[in-house]
Amino acid sequence: QVQLVESGGGLVQPGGSLRLPCAASGITFSSYTMGWYRQAPGKQRELVATITSGGGTNYADSVKGRFTISRDNAKNTVYLQMNSLKPEDTAVYYCNARLAHLRDYWGQGTQVTVSS
């Protein structure tokens, strides 16, 4: 079975930071592109950041310069470091594992709330 488990969410003040880990099991982790997506209330799920098996990264324009995605293949874990958080970052954050068009797995999400 495949399992992606996000954690690290919570309530943080504007300007603060959080780090979200996503631990994967049941996949050959190093072969997958990993990603973070988010969904705010009343809005569609959107891509936040991805990191390929080779370490290449892509970010949504809204988070460039503030968020960093990284991976530790030895721990089967992908991380999202979120700095300078804004209220508009409030969303449920989902971890994604993708093997081209062949495989696509999702975690159950972790809530991030940015509010004073």
Short mmCIF file of all heavy atoms in Angstrom, two decimals, residues 2-3 9 12-13 17 22-25 33 42-44 47-48 52 67 77 88 90 93 103 107:
data_model
loop_
_atom_site.label_atom_id
_atom_site.label_comp_id
_atom_site.label_asym_id
_atom_site.label_seq_id
_atom_site.Cartn_x
_atom_site.Cartn_y
_atom_site.Cartn_z
N VAL A 2 0.33 2.31 -0.59
CA VAL A 2 1.01 3.59 -0.68
C VAL A 2 0.43 4.52 0.37
O VAL A 2 -0.79 4.61 0.53
CB VAL A 2 0.87 4.20 -2.07
CG1 VAL A 2 1.50 5.59 -2.12
CG2 VAL A 2 1.50 3.28 -3.11
N GLN A 3 1.31 5.22 1.05
CA GLN A 3 0.87 6.15 2.07
C GLN A 3 1.74 7.40 2.03
O GLN A 3 2.96 7.32 2.02
CB GLN A 3 0.94 5.51 3.45
CG GLN A 3 0.27 6.32 4.54
CD GLN A 3 0.16 5.54 5.84
OE1 GLN A 3 0.42 4.34 5.90
NE2 GLN A 3 -0.24 6.24 6.90
N GLY A 9 1.56 21.23 10.10
CA GLY A 9 0.65 22.35 9.95
C GLY A 9 0.27 22.94 11.29
O GLY A 9 0.60 22.42 12.35
N VAL A 12 -0.12 30.08 12.55
CA VAL A 12 1.08 30.90 12.60
C VAL A 12 0.71 32.34 12.27
O VAL A 12 -0.23 32.59 11.51
CB VAL A 12 2.17 30.36 11.64
CG1 VAL A 12 1.69 30.43 10.19
CG2 VAL A 12 3.48 31.10 11.81
N GLN A 13 1.44 33.29 12.86
CA GLN A 13 1.20 34.70 12.58
C GLN A 13 1.77 35.11 11.23
O GLN A 13 2.73 34.50 10.74
CB GLN A 13 1.83 35.56 13.68
CG GLN A 13 1.20 35.39 15.03
CD GLN A 13 1.73 36.39 16.04
OE1 GLN A 13 1.00 36.82 16.94
NE2 GLN A 13 2.97 36.78 15.90
N SER A 17 6.96 31.34 10.09
CA SER A 17 7.46 30.23 9.29
C SER A 17 6.89 28.90 9.78
O SER A 17 6.59 28.74 10.97
CB SER A 17 8.99 30.15 9.35
OG SER A 17 9.59 31.31 8.81
N CYS A 22 6.45 15.53 4.58
CA CYS A 22 5.57 14.50 4.05
C CYS A 22 6.37 13.23 3.94
O CYS A 22 7.33 13.16 3.17
CB CYS A 22 5.01 14.90 2.69
SG CYS A 22 4.14 13.57 1.83
N ALA A 23 5.98 12.24 4.72
CA ALA A 23 6.66 10.95 4.74
C ALA A 23 5.93 9.98 3.83
O ALA A 23 4.72 9.77 3.97
CB ALA A 23 6.73 10.41 6.16
N ALA A 24 6.67 9.37 2.91
CA ALA A 24 6.10 8.46 1.94
C ALA A 24 6.51 7.03 2.24
O ALA A 24 7.63 6.77 2.68
CB ALA A 24 6.53 8.83 0.53
N SER A 25 5.61 6.11 1.98
CA SER A 25 5.91 4.70 2.08
C SER A 25 5.16 3.96 0.98
O SER A 25 4.15 4.44 0.46
CB SER A 25 5.54 4.14 3.46
OG SER A 25 4.16 4.31 3.72
N THR A 33 8.56 12.30 -8.81
CA THR A 33 8.46 13.73 -8.60
C THR A 33 7.52 13.98 -7.43
O THR A 33 6.42 13.43 -7.38
CB THR A 33 7.93 14.45 -9.85
OG1 THR A 33 8.92 14.36 -10.88
CG2 THR A 33 7.64 15.91 -9.57
N GLY A 42 -13.29 27.36 -0.78
CA GLY A 42 -13.97 27.90 -1.93
C GLY A 42 -13.15 28.01 -3.19
O GLY A 42 -13.63 28.56 -4.19
N LYS A 43 -11.92 27.51 -3.18
CA LYS A 43 -11.04 27.62 -4.34
C LYS A 43 -10.54 26.25 -4.77
O LYS A 43 -10.60 25.28 -4.01
CB LYS A 43 -9.86 28.54 -4.03
CG LYS A 43 -10.28 29.96 -3.70
CD LYS A 43 -9.10 30.88 -3.55
CE LYS A 43 -9.54 32.30 -3.29
NZ LYS A 43 -8.39 33.22 -3.12
N GLN A 44 -10.05 26.18 -6.00
CA GLN A 44 -9.51 24.94 -6.53
C GLN A 44 -8.13 24.66 -5.95
O GLN A 44 -7.41 25.57 -5.53
CB GLN A 44 -9.42 25.00 -8.05
CG GLN A 44 -10.75 24.93 -8.77
CD GLN A 44 -10.59 24.60 -10.23
OE1 GLN A 44 -9.68 25.08 -10.90
NE2 GLN A 44 -11.48 23.76 -10.74
N LEU A 47 -1.08 24.12 -7.50
CA LEU A 47 0.29 23.70 -7.29
C LEU A 47 1.05 24.76 -6.51
O LEU A 47 0.95 25.96 -6.81
CB LEU A 47 0.98 23.43 -8.63
CG LEU A 47 2.40 22.86 -8.58
CD1 LEU A 47 2.62 21.92 -9.75
CD2 LEU A 47 3.43 23.98 -8.61
N VAL A 48 1.81 24.33 -5.53
CA VAL A 48 2.69 25.21 -4.77
C VAL A 48 4.13 25.04 -5.22
O VAL A 48 4.81 26.02 -5.54
CB VAL A 48 2.57 24.95 -3.26
CG1 VAL A 48 3.54 25.82 -2.48
CG2 VAL A 48 1.14 25.19 -2.79
N THR A 52 11.78 17.26 -8.64
CA THR A 52 11.95 16.04 -9.42
C THR A 52 12.89 15.08 -8.72
O THR A 52 13.53 15.40 -7.71
CB THR A 52 12.48 16.35 -10.82
OG1 THR A 52 13.83 16.82 -10.72
CG2 THR A 52 11.63 17.39 -11.52
N PHE A 67 9.01 30.17 -0.21
CA PHE A 67 8.91 28.74 0.08
C PHE A 67 10.06 27.99 -0.57
O PHE A 67 10.54 28.37 -1.65
CB PHE A 67 7.60 28.16 -0.46
CG PHE A 67 6.35 28.63 0.24
CD1 PHE A 67 6.36 29.67 1.15
CD2 PHE A 67 5.14 27.99 -0.03
CE1 PHE A 67 5.19 30.09 1.78
CE2 PHE A 67 3.98 28.39 0.60
CZ PHE A 67 4.00 29.44 1.50
N THR A 77 11.22 11.34 2.47
CA THR A 77 10.48 12.49 2.96
C THR A 77 10.73 13.71 2.08
O THR A 77 11.87 13.98 1.69
CB THR A 77 10.86 12.81 4.41
OG1 THR A 77 10.57 11.68 5.23
CG2 THR A 77 10.08 14.01 4.93
N GLU A 88 -3.01 34.93 2.90
CA GLU A 88 -3.45 34.25 1.69
C GLU A 88 -2.81 32.88 1.49
O GLU A 88 -3.19 32.14 0.59
CB GLU A 88 -3.24 35.12 0.45
CG GLU A 88 -1.83 35.67 0.31
CD GLU A 88 -1.70 37.10 0.82
OE1 GLU A 88 -2.21 37.39 1.92
OE2 GLU A 88 -1.09 37.92 0.11
N THR A 90 -3.14 30.67 3.75
CA THR A 90 -4.02 29.79 4.51
C THR A 90 -4.70 28.80 3.59
O THR A 90 -5.36 29.19 2.62
CB THR A 90 -5.06 30.61 5.27
OG1 THR A 90 -4.40 31.43 6.25
CG2 THR A 90 -6.06 29.71 5.98
N TYR A 93 -2.78 21.95 2.90
CA TYR A 93 -1.62 21.63 2.07
C TYR A 93 -1.54 20.12 1.88
O TYR A 93 -1.57 19.36 2.86
CB TYR A 93 -0.34 22.16 2.70
CG TYR A 93 -0.18 23.65 2.50
CD1 TYR A 93 -1.01 24.54 3.17
CD2 TYR A 93 0.76 24.15 1.61
CE1 TYR A 93 -0.89 25.91 2.97
CE2 TYR A 93 0.89 25.52 1.41
CZ TYR A 93 0.06 26.39 2.09
OH TYR A 93 0.18 27.74 1.88
N ARG A 103 1.68 6.86 -12.25
CA ARG A 103 1.28 6.79 -10.85
C ARG A 103 1.06 8.20 -10.32
O ARG A 103 1.79 9.13 -10.68
CB ARG A 103 2.34 6.10 -10.00
CG ARG A 103 2.68 4.68 -10.43
CD ARG A 103 1.60 3.70 -10.02
NE ARG A 103 2.02 2.32 -10.25
CZ ARG A 103 1.86 1.67 -11.40
NH1 ARG A 103 1.29 2.27 -12.44
NH2 ARG A 103 2.28 0.42 -11.52
N GLY A 107 -1.56 12.65 -0.29
CA GLY A 107 -1.79 12.59 1.13
C GLY A 107 -3.15 13.17 1.48
O GLY A 107 -3.90 13.65 0.62
#
